[in-house]
Amino acid sequence: MSEEIDKIRQILIDRARREAKEIVEKAKMEARRIIEEALRQKDEKVKKVREEVLEKAKKKAEEEILLVKIEAKKRIAKVKNEILSNLWSRVIEKLASKNTGRRESLRKLLLEALEAIPSPNVVVYVSERDRKLVEEVLSEVNVGKRILDIKVCNILGGVIVESADKLIRIDNSYDTRLSSIKHKYLHIITRKLFGVE
């Protein structure tokens, strides 16, 4: 399963990297054009003004260039954020549609959560799609006596296990795992996609 996820991740990263490079290059060209236009306007103003106005015009032009640079950086940052958002959407789509290895994944996540909760009685939350698989896994691992109920909730997959008294909750949902990965590795993904620290 991890090889398939790695392949999918690599395909998505490669595709996103190409798209990101194209978008970033276009944004850089537009920024250069805007900066060049601002510089041209600055030169015309400098030629027309007297010596005492020259310093004011020069400062104003520098401010305009700085603003244009800031705006260009904002545009590039916005494009990068859109690319990352699109990448995560694709990862979620792939994860949501994946069937291979899902049963084993659910089994591992369920057992991990059950081990972490000392309570003799628990409630298991799953997606509608995974309910039957989790029921089968529970019958195989012989922990059915601990399970008070299996409830459906709005998650991509995985499990959430909660003690009957609701004091302990282990969220092993794909949503939470993906969010954790996203936050943990965002800087690495950003560096690979955009070549920046």
Side-chain angles (χ1 to χ4, degrees):
M1 179 176 157
S2 69
E3 286 181 23
E4 290 178 355
I5 291 174
D6 287 346
K7 286 179 184 176
I8 292 170
R9 179 180 56 87
Q10 190 59 46
I11 289 168
L12 291 174
I13 287 173
D14 290 346
R15 185 181 306 150
R17 187 179 290 132
R18 286 191 306 274
E19 292 174 5
K21 187 174 181 180
E22 290 174 13
I23 292 169
V24 169
E25 285 303 315
K26 287 179 184 176
K28 284 180 181 178
M29 287 174 53
E30 178 63 16
R32 282 188 208 111
R33 186 194 65 75
I34 292 170
I35 291 169
E36 288 171 5
E37 178 63 22
L39 287 170
R40 186 188 61 76
Q41 290 176 1
K42 178 190 71 97
D43 289 343
E44 289 175 6
K45 286 179 184 178
V46 169
K47 289 177 185 177
K48 292 179 184 177
V49 294
R50 287 189 248 143
E51 202 171 291
E52 64 267 6
V53 178
L54 180 62
E55 190 59 35
K56 289 181 182 179
K58 190 174 181 181
K59 286 181 181 179
K60 182 173 172 65
E62 288 171 355
E63 289 173 4
E64 289 175 5
I65 290 170
L66 181 61
L67 290 174
V68 169
K69 286 181 180 180
I70 291 169
E71 183 60 32
K73 286 181 180 182
K74 285 181 183 178
R75 288 181 186 178
I76 290 169
K78 181 180 177 188
V79 168
K80 286 179 179 180
N81 284 333
E82 289 171 359
I83 290 167
L84 287 171
S85 178
N86 189 2
L87 172 67
W88 288 114
S89 295
R90 290 180 184 177
V91 169
I92 289 169
E93 286 174 19
K94 292 287 185 184
L95 188 60
S97 65
K98 185 167 177 49
N99 289 322
T100 308
R102 194 170 187 99
R103 180 188 183 102
E104 186 58 28
S105 169
L106 290 168
R107 184 179 196 280
K108 286 179 182 178
L109 294 172
L110 180 62
L111 290 176
E112 180 183 297
L114 288 171
E115 285 180 21
I117 297 181
S119 175
N121 296 314
V122 297
V123 176
V124 177
Y125 297 88
V126 297
S127 68
E128 181 68 44
R129 174 183 178 187
D130 292 338
R131 183 181 181 110
K132 185 175 179 181
L133 285 174
V134 169
E135 288 172 348
E136 291 171 8
V137 167
L138 284 170
S139 68
E140 290 171 7
V141 296
N142 200 21
V143 292
K145 293 177 184 176
R146 283 187 72 191
I147 311 303
L148 292 178
D149 196 6
I150 299 174
K151 295 184 178 182
V152 173
C153 66
N154 188 20
I155 57 175
L156 288 173
V159 297
I160 299 171
V161 179
E162 184 176 68
S163 62
D165 58 11
K166 298 186 182 214
L167 293 177
I168 303 173
R169 183 179 178 102
I170 305 295
D171 188 343
N172 273 352
S173 66
Y174 292 169
D175 310 65
T176 299
R177 292 283 176 120
L178 185 60
S179 177
S180 176
I181 289 169
K182 179 179 178 181
H183 292 294
K184 186 174 181 181
Y185 295 105
L186 184 62
H187 66 285
I188 295 170
I189 293 166
T190 302
R191 185 173 51 229
K192 287 189 180 227
L193 283 175
F194 308 116
V196 293
E197 291 292 327

